[in-house]
Amino acid sequence: KAGVTQTPRYLIKTRGQQVTLSCSPISGHRSVSWYQQTPGQGLQFLFEYFSETQRNKGNFPGRFSGRQFSNSRSEMNVSTLELGDSALYLCASSPVDRVRGAEAFFGQGTRLTVV
Amino acid sequence: EDKVVQSPLSLVVHEGDTVTLNCSYEVTNFRSLLWYKQEKKAPTFLFMLTSSGIEKKSGRLSSILDKKELFSILNITATQTGDSAVYLCAVILISGGGADGLTFGKGTHLIIQP
């Protein structure tokens, strides 16, 4: 079974630009969550999508947005990039049965550097 | 505000030692606690704990949850250099909509010296 796939793996952008990151979950998983990881703040929850609907959102500005497609693939977008957005962005997928709070499986992440 | 605190933040031991990593939490609507190992990029799942006092075990790793005192420990016995990693603790909360974003601690950076 293929794991969670994130593309691209590395990205360099300049301040003010926007970026789109992609995540393909494990086959059969309908929940996709996004996290930002920085040395200072650790892993922080951005948002979660289930069946194309955003179900939960972390404490991030509106410049961070996302969406999920009918095949469960998800994209996140960051507009008007700031230096502080440099981070590892991780995507995690979870099985259909969310009632049990099942474990999340992470992708390798996209390393975003804003210069 | 929901909070997950891990200690120590970093730990250096010698191969063969036993280590205990701690995770305490102050959250509302607790559902489960998870442990992950992060070596380079993708955190890999270790354990999910939902009930108090039931030890989960996988090889040299074991973990237990205390819901009364709001903490969990992760034990690693007979450590090997391959155990060097950041160990992350995360909490799943129950929410009205069923959405379960993970709240992570800052992690414990474990270094095993040969």
Side-chain angles (χ1 to χ4, degrees):
Chain A
K1 208 176 194 181
V4 179
T5 304
Q6 291 189 245
T7 56
R9 295 288 303 276
Y10 301 92
L11 207 48
I12 300 176
K13 290 284 189 179
T14 56
R15 275 182 299 176
Q17 286 188 310
Q18 75 164 20
V19 67
T20 299
L21 313 181
S22 179
C23 172
S24 293
I26 293 171
S27 177
H29 286 195
R30 291 165 63 188
S31 171
V32 174
S33 303
W34 288 90
Y35 296 84
Q36 182 196 64
Q37 188 174 33
T38 59
Q41 298 299 319
L43 258 165
Q44 292 183 288
F45 172 68
L46 280 157
F47 29 64
E48 183 203 5
Y49 286 87
F50 182 84
S51 293
E52 302 178 63
T53 301
Q54 186 182 90
R55 295 203 302 181
N56 204 1
K57 192 176 192 313
N59 191 23
F60 278 82
R63 298 184 298 107
F64 292 81
S65 64
R67 59 177 175 168
Q68 187 179 33
F69 302 95
S70 58
N71 62 358
S72 293
R73 190 178 72 84
S74 177
E75 289 181 345
M76 71 161 276
N77 185 278
V78 188
S79 62
T80 320
L81 283 166
E82 302 177 358
L83 295 179
D85 297 333
S86 296
L88 179 66
Y89 289 89
L90 290 162
C91 162
S93 77
S94 295
V96 172
D97 184 1
R98 295 290 290 155
V99 174
R100 292 178 296 162
E103 63 273 17
F105 295 87
F106 284 84
Q108 291 292 318
T110 294
R111 172 73 64 186
L112 172 66
T113 302
V114 182
V115 297
Chain B
E1 185 182 327
D2 297 324
K3 195 163 61 171
V4 177
V5 178
Q6 292 186 245
S7 64
L9 290 181
S10 63
L11 185 58
V12 181
V13 300
H14 290 287
E15 217 170 5
D17 287 350
T18 292
V19 297
T20 298
L21 309 184
N22 303 291
C23 175
S24 65
Y25 58 93
E26 292 177 29
V27 301
T28 53
N29 301 320
F30 173 87
R31 184 199 294 274
S32 305
L33 184 145
L34 295 87
W35 284 96
Y36 288 87
K37 177 183 182 182
Q38 186 176 28
E39 292 179 84
K40 289 184 180 174
K41 292 232 178 130
T44 53
F45 171 77
L46 294 175
F47 299 111
M48 182 170 73
L49 303 155
T50 304
S51 303
S52 259
I54 298 175
E55 185 183 50
K56 293 275 182 98
K57 199 167 169 63
S58 176
R60 296 176 293 102
L61 277 67
S62 64
S63 183
I64 198 162
L65 174 68
D66 186 329
K67 290 170 76 172
K68 185 179 174 187
E69 300 297 330
L70 308 182
F71 77 90
S72 174
I73 60 172
L74 175 68
N75 277 320
I76 309 175
T77 59
T79 52
Q80 303 170 357
T81 54
D83 296 327
S84 296
V86 175
Y87 289 83
L88 297 162
C89 168
V91 171
I92 297 179
L93 308 178
I94 301 169
S95 66
D100 297 324
L102 295 171
T103 300
F104 280 88
K106 295 278 178 73
T108 292
H109 188 188
L110 177 63
I111 297 173
I112 311 296
Q113 292 182 333

